[in-house]
Amino acid sequence: MSNISIFLADEAATVQLGQQLAAAIGAGGVVFLEGDLGAGKTTFSRGLIRALGHSGAVKSPTFTVVEPYELGERAVYHFDLYRLADPEELEFLGFRDYLRDNSLCLIEWPSKGVGVLPKPDLVITIALDNQARQATLTAHSERAEQWLAALRASHQ
């Protein structure tokens, strides 16, 4: 289980990290996004989703719980579990139907889904650092190890 830590000076750097990860991701996977309110989880997701080919708005799924993006043969599902009262609510939403080989699930506030969510491929923790942010990406699968290797190569 390896990790990489990246300093994000501003919002543009957060978007750029999303773009760089998009370039490394193959078919699909599960990515947990952790951090306080306003840390940049949705900003990161916006960069990633747009880099994968979505040209419209990328909204925070705070009220809808999930925003789907069909991008050719790939689907990206952006979840925000902040408002869940109980992890079992994910079962009512049909969460398991989103877990397909060609889908990427970005999940904000994964702690709200403990016991229902699968093991993530990658956990991204974004922490405020004065006016900037620090992103720590931790691989939990061989697939994510490959993603981090590609990110390391792009940061050299």
Side-chain angles (χ1 to χ4, degrees), residues 8 11 13-22 25 31-34 39-54 56-61 67 69 71 76-80 104-109 124 126:
L8 304 170
E11 183 175 331
T14 305
V15 168
Q16 182 179 22
L17 177 60
Q19 293 167 338
Q20 290 169 336
L21 185 60
I25 289 177
V31 177
F32 285 2
L33 299 165
E34 300 177 338
K41 299 177 297 292
T42 299
T43 300
F44 166 84
S45 298
R46 183 180 315 116
L48 189 148
I49 292 165
R50 285 190 177 149
L52 291 175
H54 180 70
V58 176
K59 302 180 292 186
S60 172
E67 287 289 335
Y69 301 92
L71 306 171
V76 177
Y77 301 106
H78 183 195
F79 292 87
D80 185 333
L104 175 65
C105 293
L106 304 173
I107 304 171
E108 296 186 31
W109 300 98
I124 301 174
I126 303 174

Side-chain angles (χ1 to χ4, degrees), residues 110-155:
S111 61
K112 300 280 194 160
V114 170
V116 176
L117 293 177
K119 178 183 168 201
D121 291 295
L122 182 67
V123 175
I124 301 174
T125 304
I126 303 174
L128 297 172
D129 183 3
N130 293 319
Q131 298 300 318
R133 286 154 179 71
Q134 188 74 29
T136 303
L137 294 80
T138 305
H140 289 269
S141 71
E142 183 58 39
R143 172 187 346 213
E145 291 286 356
Q146 294 171 5
W147 298 346
L148 292 188
L151 272 179
R152 283 186 190 94
S154 71
H155 278 263

